[in-house]
Amino acid sequence: SRDSSPVVLRRRVCEVNPRQVMQVIGSHNFIAVAYPNSLACYKLGEFSEWRPIFTTRLDYSVDLMAFHSRVPVSGPNSKEVLIAVSCGSQIHLWNVSDQSEVANFDLEVTVETLLFIASGLVALSQTGIIGVWNTMTQTWKVQQVQPITSYDIAGCMLIIGCGDGCIYCVDMAKFPLRMKDNDLLVSKLYCDPERNKGISITAISVYLTPKQCVGQQCGEWIEIASWNQQRHGQDHLPAS
């Protein structure tokens, strides 16, 4: 007679090597490495060996990483090392120097760019969402602009090209806030004269010149070469 017992289908489980390197990012003599289930930081020693100085377990996969090392004001002989990772809309930040988790943030949309600028962590989404965490004030701010089509960095400034044909700026050193609602101030630097025709700033290349005086205006000047689908131009904009 035919055997009526249920047939058990065995699914082959693909084991992931926990030491498989998924991503690597570096800053000065430090590197951060993302593994399938953990995150580690290594420092280059005196004899050219990589010495582990930080590790933490992860229950999620890392999409993006940002790494930053700087000399803190209180300790010129040491460095403060920060590691940030994103998974979807979630951002996790650690201070390697004191082995602590600093904070967790939610951009509410998928993080597509993650980087440190000056004393701040920046998260960008092409939908037009900007998230900024300031290391000095320990504050996290999220601001909505037009869809982001390009960006560049000029010193301590984040320059953003948007789908409305305009270029915006965030000064990461001053970390300005709006008077009306204490939210992040995003300044408009330039608008394409043909922006009403649906022109987007699809690429930006920025050069920050040394301090100089032109006429009665003194200070640093930003030279921005912007490119869009129908025309391109070059502008010189004063920066305080």
Side-chain angles (χ1 to χ4, degrees):
S1 63
R2 178 179 296 181
D3 186 5
S4 59
S5 60
V7 177
V8 178
L9 299 179
R10 299 183 181 275
R11 185 176 60 180
R12 179 178 296 177
V13 178
C14 297
E15 295 184 359
V16 178
N17 182 358
R19 300 303 296 171
Q20 180 180 350
V21 175
M22 310 302 291
Q23 292 190 52
V24 178
I25 192 169
S27 177
H28 299 285
N29 58 335
F30 299 90
I31 61 171
V33 182
Y35 299 103
N37 302 311
S38 62
L39 178 69
C41 180
Y42 301 87
K43 182 180 180 180
L44 185 63
E46 329 182 349
F47 304 103
S48 300
E49 81 283 5
W50 288 104
R51 180 167 52 89
I53 60 173
F54 171 80
T55 183
T56 183
R57 294 283 299 175
L58 302 177
D59 56 0
Y60 51 85
S61 60
V62 174
D63 294 334
L64 299 172
M65 298 175 64
F67 199 29
H68 178 63
S69 62
R70 68 182 181 91
V71 177
V73 177
S74 58
N77 296 324
S78 61
K79 283 187 177 180
E80 183 180 63
V81 181
L82 301 174
I83 302 177
V85 302
S86 69
C87 177
S89 66
Q90 299 293 318
I91 302 168
H92 306 268
L93 179 65
W94 291 271
N95 188 330
V96 174
S97 306
D98 57 14
Q99 306 283 306
S100 65
E101 186 173 20
V102 178
N104 297 316
F105 314 113
D106 187 0
L107 194 64
E108 299 183 354
V109 293
T110 300
V111 179
E112 294 169 293
T113 299
L114 188 67
L115 70 161
F116 281 96
I117 302 176
S119 60
L121 174 66
V122 177
L124 301 176
S125 169
Q126 292 183 4
T127 59
I129 303 293
I130 305 172
V132 175
W133 181 77
N134 186 274
T135 58
M136 306 302 294
T137 61
Q138 303 284 302
T139 54
W140 169 255
K141 297 290 184 180
V142 177
Q143 185 61 273
Q144 171 80 55
V145 295
Q146 296 294 322
I148 298 173
T149 52
S150 57
Y151 77 92
D152 201 359
I153 302 170
C156 296
M157 289 180 287
L158 172 65
I159 311 297
I160 303 170
C162 291
D164 61 349
C166 296
I167 298 174
Y168 299 85
C169 169
V170 179
D171 191 331
M172 298 296 298
K174 297 180 180 178
F175 197 65
L177 301 177
R178 297 191 304 193
M179 294 292 292
K180 62 178 182 179
D181 55 9
N182 202 38
D183 209 344
L184 181 66
L185 177 63
V186 181
S187 304
K188 185 180 292 185
L189 279 181
Y190 169 82
C191 285
D192 192 293
E194 298 182 3
R195 63 187 183 278
N196 294 330
K197 298 181 180 180
I199 289 179
S200 301
I201 306 295
T202 55
I204 296 179
S205 179
V206 181
Y207 172 69
L208 187 61
T209 66
K211 287 189 176 181
Q212 54 184 303
C213 293
V214 178
Q216 297 181 346
Q217 292 182 324
C218 294
E220 293 177 320
W221 287 69
I222 302 175
E223 182 176 333
I224 298 178
S226 60
W227 177 269
N228 53 50
Q229 296 177 354
Q230 299 182 29
R231 61 180 295 273
H232 66 278
Q234 193 171 30
D235 293 274
H236 302 269
L237 305 172
S240 57

